[in-house]
Amino acid sequence: HFELIFNAYINLLNFNYRVGSGIDEAKAVLAEGDALAAQIGDEGLRLTLSLCYSRALCAAGDAEAYFQLAEANYTTAFEQDVPHLRPLATLLFCDSMAHSARNLRGLEEADKAMAAWPPDLQRGYWISGNNPHTFFVFIGGSYLTWLGRQDEARTRLEDARDRAIADDTPEVVGWCGYLLTQVHTWLGDGQAALTQAREVAEISDKLGSPLLGLYRHLCFAMAYGVMGQPEKAIPEAEAAIRMARSGEQHWIGGAQAQLALALIADGQNERAVEVARQAVADCDASGTRHFGALARCALARALARTGGDARDITDLFTEVDARIADGSAAALAAYVDGWRAEAAAAV
């Protein structure tokens, strides 16, 4: 009887972010489940519920709270006699570091996890139907692309994609496709980015996942942006913002940053200032430091084109420099000097 009840609680929490059920439902499920687990004295179940709940915090727009709880759960999983929970605790810990841009520490943890959980782990030990080893290969690609190590990121993400295909986990294939689109965008290869975006769109259409639907629009926004087609990038970024607001709210600021960049390319600089300013605020509120750095670049560029204060522009780029230095947005090092010079010439 208890097993059926707890399986229901766990499934409700585990799929909360996938279907956009919302943080209020997640809190209610956690409270009920935790009270029952405490009543029967099962600390392992209490940890399981906390692990599944942590990801809902991220979807509610608080990547920093997600990291804090994921880190605490990770510590508990290795302190308690719950070896069966350690892969999930490690996966969520690594995922939280990707969303909060703790890229250097995350890469170290993911590499250790790849060694701890081999690729041939039996399916009974997979997490939410996904192979943990494949996930750790994938998440390493996320850290690498924001660290500016694009060739390494591409190699690792292609490896993760091939593993996900072999695992028959198309959702993970779609995740890899999103990051590969980003890598191709950073590398300036618009055609490769567009090809990858179309692959993500195909998987999204088949699975109907809200997260992959969001990735689909972000991919096309990036691809059309690097191809110099802002008129196509703008509606894709706008669609991504709408989807993020309905579920994966920690992506709102990042999608707004993409929209601001497209608006700048389209000459809509006044609107770009407004959108980029909101992107900075939303990224700061959610703790998505990498997207916050990109949003600051967009805001600085838009301000320079609309007669903004030179000191404000300087301060924005100074903050970006700090995030490049700490690894949260090191990928921007390849662009920020050019954008700074562009802004200086315009002011």
Side-chain angles (χ1 to χ4, degrees):
H1 175 66
F2 282 124
E3 183 177 353
L4 290 174
I5 293 173
F6 279 111
N7 280 338
Y9 286 137
I10 290 166
N11 285 330
L12 285 169
L13 289 171
N14 194 35
F15 287 95
N16 178 276
Y17 80 93
R18 285 186 167 91
V19 299
S21 300
I23 193 64
D24 290 339
E25 178 179 308
K27 286 179 178 178
V29 171
L30 175 67
E32 287 184 22
D34 186 67
L36 185 56
Q39 181 181 335
I40 64 175
D42 194 324
E43 293 302 314
L45 279 174
R46 297 187 75 185
L47 178 57
T48 301
L49 292 166
S50 182
L51 285 164
C52 296
Y53 171 74
S54 66
R55 184 57 177 78
L57 288 171
C58 191
D62 198 338
E64 182 61 26
Y66 175 34
F67 167 75
Q68 296 295 337
L69 182 55
E71 183 180 40
N73 287 336
Y74 172 79
T75 300
T76 301
F78 282 87
E79 289 177 345
Q80 294 182 359
D81 185 23
V82 286
H84 62 292
L85 293 179
R86 289 170 187 165
L88 175 58
T90 307
L91 183 152
L92 291 168
F93 183 39
C94 287
D95 187 57
S96 74
M97 286 188 281
H99 288 298
S100 60
R102 289 171 166 87
N103 298 310
L104 291 168
R105 183 179 177 189
L107 183 60
E108 181 180 347
E109 292 292 340
D111 285 346
K112 289 193 299 184
M114 284 170 56
W117 288 284
D120 57 354
L121 195 67
Q122 293 182 359
R123 279 186 178 264
Y125 295 96
W126 288 15
I127 301 166
S128 302
N130 296 327
N131 187 330
H133 184 89
T134 300
F135 177 86
F136 295 126
V137 177
F138 152 77
I139 205 70
S142 175
Y143 306 131
L144 287 166
T145 185
W146 278 102
L147 287 169
R149 295 157 60 179
Q150 304 305 338
D151 290 336
E152 292 175 75
R154 178 172 55 190
T155 298
R156 185 144 173 173
L157 289 165
E158 288 172 348
D159 181 22
R161 181 186 59 194
D162 292 345
R163 290 176 183 275
I165 292 170
D167 294 337
D168 193 24
T169 52
E171 185 177 29
V172 181
V173 177
W175 299 348
C176 294
Y178 162 72
L179 284 175
L180 281 167
T181 303
Q182 181 170 288
V183 168
H184 292 311
T185 299
W186 290 130
L187 292 173
D189 191 339
Q191 190 55 57
L194 184 59
T195 297
Q196 193 64 67
R198 287 170 175 160
E199 291 180 9
V200 173
E202 183 178 350
I203 296 170
S204 173
D205 289 343
K206 288 180 180 178
L207 297 184
S209 159
L211 177 58
L212 287 179
L214 169 63
Y215 284 172
R216 169 200 183 122
H217 292 300
L218 285 172
C219 284
F220 280 120
M222 289 187 289
Y224 288 133
V226 76
M227 294 179 77
Q229 299 178 37
E231 73 283 357
K232 293 183 178 179
I234 289 169
E236 296 290 350
E238 291 171 334
I241 294 168
R242 289 194 297 271
M243 291 206 70
R245 284 181 174 143
S246 69
E248 292 279 351
Q249 295 178 33
H250 61 294
W251 286 96
I252 293 173
Q256 289 170 329
Q258 289 294 334
L259 174 58
L261 291 172
L263 290 168
I264 291 169
D266 199 47
Q268 300 184 48
N269 296 309
E270 294 288 351
R271 186 185 172 201
V273 169
E274 178 184 348
V275 171
R277 209 181 285 283
Q278 187 60 53
V280 169
D282 286 339
C283 290
D284 288 354
S286 68
T288 50
R289 287 175 55 80
H290 49 332
F291 293 144
L294 185 62
R296 281 170 168 79
C297 288
L299 180 55
R301 295 178 66 202
L303 285 172
R305 292 163 179 244
T306 55
D309 190 306
R311 290 170 298 182
D312 291 340
I313 295 168
T314 298
D315 289 345
L316 287 164
F317 280 126
T318 298
E319 178 60 29
V320 174
D321 290 338
R323 298 188 187 195
I324 289 172
D326 69 19
S328 57
L332 297 178
Y335 308 92
V336 71
D337 287 343
W339 288 341
R340 184 183 280 113
E342 168 197 282
V347 172

